[in-house]
Amino acid sequence: LGHVSRERWNAIFTEADENRTERVSRSEWRGIFGTIYAFDFIDKDGNGSLERSEWSEAFEGFDREAHDSITAADMLKDVDSRCIDLRAFYALGVAFWGLGIGSMSYHVCPSLLTFQFDTCFMIPLANLFTLALLDWRASSSSDTITSVKYVLYVLTPLWLINFIGTWYDIKAFEID
C-alpha cells in the first residue's frame, strides 16, 4: 500500500495508450485520467506526447534506490530537485519598484521631464510579463540570443519612438 510497482507503472501507460502505438498524447491522457498534471510533469521535452521509453525513464528517475517500486515521497524528492528559474519574476519586482518611483515623481511634480520617468518602465514591464510567462514553461536551456534580439529589435525602437515623441511634445524640433 502506498507504492507503485514497475508492473503497475507500465500498466498505467498501457491503459492510457488506447491506440497501442507506444505513444500517448496529452488528449488521450486527459480522456482516461481526467487531469494532465502527471503527464506534464513527466513530459520533460514538452512535445505533447509520451513514449513508453520516456515513461520508463521517469520511473527510473523516481526509483533512485532501485527497489522496483516508487512512493509519493520518491516523487516529491524529484519535484524538490527541479529548480524553477525565478529571475524574470525578480526583474518584474525591480521594474515595479522603478515604475512606482517614476510614477511618484511625475504625480508629485508633473512636467514633461518627469513624465519620462513615469513611462520609461511601462513598456519594459509589459514585456517582462510576457517573457516571464513564456519562460515559465521553457526548458533550462532557454535561448539567450532570442532574448537579446527581442530587446534590441522590439524594446529599443519602442523606447526611441517614445523618446522622440516627447521631443515633439516639448517642441524641440520647432524652428523659430
Side-chain angles (χ1 to χ4, degrees):
L1 187 67
H3 72 279
V4 175
S5 66
R6 184 182 300 274
E7 293 78 29
R8 177 65 188 134
W9 184 262
N10 290 329
I12 291 170
F13 185 86
T14 304
E15 182 182 344
D17 185 16
E18 295 173 327
N19 302 332
R20 304 295 180 240
T21 59
E22 298 295 308
R23 178 183 296 257
V24 176
S25 71
R26 198 167 194 255
S27 60
E28 285 177 317
W29 186 273
R30 183 179 304 166
I32 298 292
F33 299 108
T35 66
I36 52 167
Y37 300 123
F39 183 92
D40 287 342
F41 183 74
I42 294 171
D43 185 22
K44 292 181 182 176
D45 58 5
N47 65 355
S49 67
L50 288 175
E51 295 181 14
R52 187 172 292 274
S53 60
E54 195 174 2
W55 185 257
S56 298
E57 287 171 15
F59 185 87
E60 297 297 328
F62 293 140
D63 188 26
R64 292 187 181 137
E65 297 170 6
H67 293 299
D68 250 13
S69 69
I70 56 175
T71 63
D74 294 329
M75 291 182 186
L76 285 175
K77 287 178 194 172
D78 192 54
V79 170
D80 290 340
S81 70
R82 294 186 187 189
C83 187
I84 297 173
D85 186 12
L86 297 174
R87 290 179 297 180
F89 295 100
Y90 291 139
L92 280 170
V94 171
F96 266 124
W97 274 97
L99 180 64
I101 291 169
S103 186
M104 179 190 66
S105 69
Y106 174 70
H107 290 284
V108 168
C109 182
S111 71
L112 286 173
L113 179 64
T114 56
F115 181 69
Q116 286 300 304
F117 295 116
D118 189 24
T119 60
C120 74
F121 279 97
M122 289 181 185
I123 296 169
L125 193 60
N127 288 290
L128 277 173
F129 271 119
T130 305
L131 289 175
L133 292 174
L134 286 174
D135 191 47
W136 188 256
R137 180 69 172 117
S139 65
S140 60
S141 61
S142 60
D143 189 6
T144 335
I145 301 299
T146 304
S147 298
V148 170
K149 286 180 181 177
Y150 180 73
V151 168
L152 184 64
Y153 298 126
V154 175
L155 282 183
T156 305
L158 283 174
W159 278 332
L160 188 59
I161 290 167
N162 189 14
F163 183 67
I164 292 171
T166 303
W167 278 3
Y168 278 107
D169 287 341
I170 63 170
K171 297 176 176 49
F173 296 116
E174 221 173 70
I175 301 174
D176 291 329

